[in-house]
Amino acid sequence: MTALITLEGVNKYYGDYHALRDIDLTIDEGEFFSLLGPSGCGKTTLLRTIAGFESVSSGLVAIGGKDMAGVPANLRPTNMVFQSYAIFPHLSVAENVAFGLRKRSDLNKQAKQVLVDDALDMVGLDGYGGRAAHALSGGQRQRVALARALILKPKVLLLDEPLSALDKKMREQMQVELMRLQRHVGITFILVTHDQEEALVMSDRIAVMFEGRIGQLADAETLYRRPRNRQVAEFIGKMNFLEADVTAMGDAISLQVQGLGGLQITPEQSPEVRETGAAVVGIRPETLGILFEGETTDRKLAEGVVDEVVYYGDMTYYDVRITGVEKPLNIAMKNIIGQPVLDVGAPAQVIWDERSLVLLK
Ligand code: ATP
């Protein structure tokens, strides 16, 4: 992969407020990259500094090897799709898309029409050109905004929460379509989102941001399975936390875990913790299970009592209080034919496996 965008030591102040703090980042050509984080963490500011809508207070932003200092947004090889779509309701779909070509005096009407048709086809709006833009659904409007941005063939498409105004079903559909579209056009997409599921589904890599800094930059699976610290683990999905005492560090890491006793894990399961002493162990709810009557397992067991049951149809979420731990463990179980749903107060044997644990600071 070739680096397309490089940020080095980027800081941004709004008055006294330090919105971006020492951001170092490389984004590759053709990558689907997401900036993920809670409200106010600086992800939109970072996107806008790449777009050229914000200047940096210090540091370097380079695109295609060129320093972008002083280069205005309209002269950068980027294009932005906004959350609000910003389409013109009084124009037709085709006119909205052609708006992206307004400065291309080198193209005649016919050539523009070909590009508009191609762009509409690309976003699944083939044949919609003559429709009035105000008569479109939210998902269709978003497609028009995408077509208008892509018609200029930018090197980078910047997407600021593009799906947040859509309902859940349409959002899920558009996630898959955006992925397909990105593969088809092959350009770099940078997505800003506060929705961790959206980022996990679509991205090659994700930068998780907190308070103006990048907390972790990794692919979806690494972020989910090996979060670097508790803050990232809490932001991405659900995680149970148990107090631990690390007694030996080396090729195998030995620890005592509250409620689970003594066990060993591998160094890969400890992305940041390098020292013995107090730490925290993280366990995802779906890596735990409950042993039902008549079943056997070669995994480890902990005795517990059901504290809460939430039935979702395909899944049941249990809170189970295990001996020696104050906070119940959240367990996500797929509902299988023939398996009962336990009641609150029922005894439960919790199945766990040290391979699914991650050691955190
Ligand atoms: P959200 O998801 O809520 O949009 P975000 O992570 O995108 O959040 P930013 O919009 O980048 O956050 O804002 C980061 C911080 O910088 C916020 O505290 C915000 O109030 C502040 N900020 C953003 N733009 C300005 C501005 N023009 N002037 C002053 N402060 C600003």
Side-chain angles (χ1 to χ4, degrees), residues 14 17 19 37-46 54 161 192 194:
Y14 292 113
Y17 186 73
S39 185
C41 70
K43 50 198 188 299
T44 300
T45 302
L46 186 52
E54 298 284 354
E161 304 258 8
V192 158
H194 62 270

Side-chain angles (χ1 to χ4, degrees), residues 75 81 105 194 306 313:
L75 296 181
V81 176
S105 52
H194 62 270
V306 176

Side-chain angles (χ1 to χ4, degrees), residues 194-270:
H194 62 270
D195 180 339
Q196 40 109 2
E197 210 174 276
E198 192 165 292
L200 292 183
V201 168
M202 294 201 277
S203 321
D204 294 313
R205 284 188 310 153
I206 302 160
V208 189
M209 293 183 66
F210 300 103
E211 293 163 8
R213 285 183 209 283
I214 295 177
Q216 188 168 2
L217 199 173
D219 61 272
E221 195 185 346
T222 306
L223 277 182
Y224 191 79
R225 295 188 56 219
R226 304 271 187 260
R228 215 158 86 175
N229 53 44
R230 198 168 163 155
Q231 197 178 29
V232 175
E234 275 173 333
F235 192 72
I236 309 267
K238 276 191 184 162
M239 183 78 106
N240 294 293
F241 297 105
L242 293 173
E243 284 172 24
D245 181 31
V246 181
T247 51
M249 269 286 168
D251 290 343
I253 300 170
S254 304
L255 55 161
Q256 285 287 329
V257 182
Q258 194 187 27
L260 304 182
L263 57 96
Q264 286 198 326
I265 58 171
T266 63
E268 292 78 54
Q269 289 172 264
S270 180

